[in-house]
Amino acid sequence: MRYQPLYDMPAGRITGYEALIRWTHAERGAVSPAEFIALAEETSLINPVGRYVFARVCETLAELRDRGLRELPFVAVNVSGRQLEGDTLLAQLLDTARLTGVPPGAIKLEITESLALDVARVGQLIARTHAAGVKVALDDFGAGYSSFGYLKGLSVDALKIDGSLVKDAAKTMAGVAILGALGGLVRNLGMKSVGEFAENLQAIKALVAAGVD
């Protein structure tokens, strides 16, 4: 597992992390999830992979707590479409949190925009997740669906603006305008905004100018 920090720009500090899984191959070293997650979904191995991620994240948070960290950071975990099938996802997370003594609120589930278009099904999941104290973020927002209508039916806590838009905002005036519009939209919806691919000062300045959190 790797952990990528989420930097709260208004607060000026790291407030959370995103869990990134890697397959440690004997010969190839760390293999990107882009090379094995699709296969795991096709073969239903994504469910044990998901359980592993929940377990490792909760174990890591428990270790931080045991070392005396008073305020645990939240950790965002990406959720696959196959994991949303049935009603086991939330139960798996809550069981793992209970066994490790980690508060459910320390976990944030990230659902891609394409999955969120199924508003009825995903909306019910989000409601149950919120009732359990777990937050939900909408990932890869603006990556290609560009429909704002479904947002009215989803009470997510945060929208993650797709990295391609952040990179474009650092290069073109049109990109700046689009990022600024999205930042305003998210703010007016009462959600937190997260910008992906903030890999250099130019991209960070574009996010600050757009009012992204």
Side-chain angles (χ1 to χ4, degrees):
M1 296 293 297
R2 303 288 187 269
Y3 293 93
Q4 176 173 273
L6 284 96
Y7 186 79
D8 187 318
M9 291 190 289
R13 62 189 179 94
I14 294 172
T15 54
Y17 295 85
E18 179 178 0
L20 305 174
I21 189 171
R22 297 291 184 270
W23 173 22
T24 304
H25 192 278
E27 299 175 355
R28 298 174 58 192
V31 180
S32 167
E35 298 188 49
F36 64 85
I37 288 297
L39 179 61
E41 289 181 329
E42 292 174 7
T43 57
S44 296
L45 286 174
I46 193 64
N47 289 316
V49 168
R51 286 194 295 271
Y52 168 81
V53 172
F54 283 153
R56 288 298 301 125
V57 167
C58 287
E59 288 167 5
T60 299
L61 288 170
E63 289 172 7
L64 292 174
R65 178 203 59 208
D66 294 343
R67 290 179 185 177
L69 188 65
R70 294 182 179 180
E71 184 179 351
L72 290 178
F74 75 83
V75 177
V77 177
N78 290 283
V79 176
S80 159
R82 289 295 294 270
Q83 289 175 272
L84 295 179
E85 295 176 357
D87 298 316
T88 61
L89 175 69
L90 183 58
Q92 289 173 5
L93 172 56
L94 295 179
D95 285 346
T96 306
R98 177 178 52 80
L99 289 172
T100 54
V102 171
I107 308 296
K108 178 186 286 184
L109 299 182
E110 292 194 352
I111 301 172
T112 61
E113 183 183 12
S114 58
L115 297 176
L117 292 177
D118 186 353
V119 174
R121 183 165 65 94
V122 175
Q124 292 176 359
L125 171 66
I126 292 174
R128 294 197 304 271
T129 302
H130 279 161
V134 180
K135 293 186 177 181
V136 181
L138 188 62
D139 202 4
D140 299 330
F141 182 71
Y145 296 90
S146 302
S147 174
F148 298 149
Y150 70 90
L151 291 177
K152 295 182 293 184
L154 295 177
S155 57
V156 295
D157 302 285
L159 287 182
K160 292 185 67 179
I161 299 170
D162 190 67
S164 62
L165 298 176
V166 176
K167 285 186 173 182
D168 194 39
K171 299 175 183 177
T172 68
M173 291 303 296
V176 170
I178 292 172
L179 188 62
L182 289 178
L185 170 69
V186 178
R187 186 165 53 253
N188 289 329
L189 288 173
M191 304 172 185
K192 289 287 187 180
S193 55
V194 181
E196 301 178 324
F197 291 15
E199 299 171 344
N200 52 58
L201 184 57
Q202 191 176 7
I204 293 171
K205 285 182 176 179
L207 290 168
V208 172
V212 175
D213 297 301

